[in-house]
Amino acid sequence: MDTLNPADVASDLPGWTGGDNSITKSFKFEDFAEAFGFMTQIAIVADRMDHHPEWFNVYNRVDITLTTHDAGGVTEKDVTLAKAMEKAVGQIT
């Protein structure tokens, strides 16, 4: 599996930041129920992809880090999952 440059990937995704071997974003919602609903929706997508995010939730915020551990960096799997997240919050279609 080929790895991608995290900075290049992040530049094509609204609000994402590229790190050494990952991309990250913090999503903010109206309340805990909306944040948890987002996580539930993405959990189903991630499980179907067999590609799971590293995430942290406090009240209305969900902080996400995406990397493909098997590849040692960012891959198309991360891009696909990030786009699913953006679609879920209505940022992209």
Side-chain angles (χ1 to χ4, degrees), residues 38-70:
F38 166 78
M39 292 177 72
T40 301
Q41 183 178 355
I42 296 306
I44 293 167
V45 173
D47 209 43
R48 287 183 184 146
M49 291 178 63
D50 193 27
H51 188 61
H52 305 94
E54 297 175 20
W55 54 13
F56 178 78
N57 166 243
V58 174
Y59 183 57
N60 67 337
R61 192 182 80 237
V62 180
D63 300 326
I64 298 174
T65 299
L66 296 178
T67 189
T68 304
H69 295 285
D70 294 347

Side-chain angles (χ1 to χ4, degrees), residues 5 14 19 24 26 28 35 38-39 43-44 46 51 61 67-68 80 85 87 89-90:
N5 180 311
T24 62
S26 183
K28 193 167 183 180
F38 166 78
M39 292 177 72
I44 293 167
H51 188 61
R61 192 182 80 237
T67 189
T68 304
T80 300
M85 292 174 183
K87 187 174 182 179
V89 297

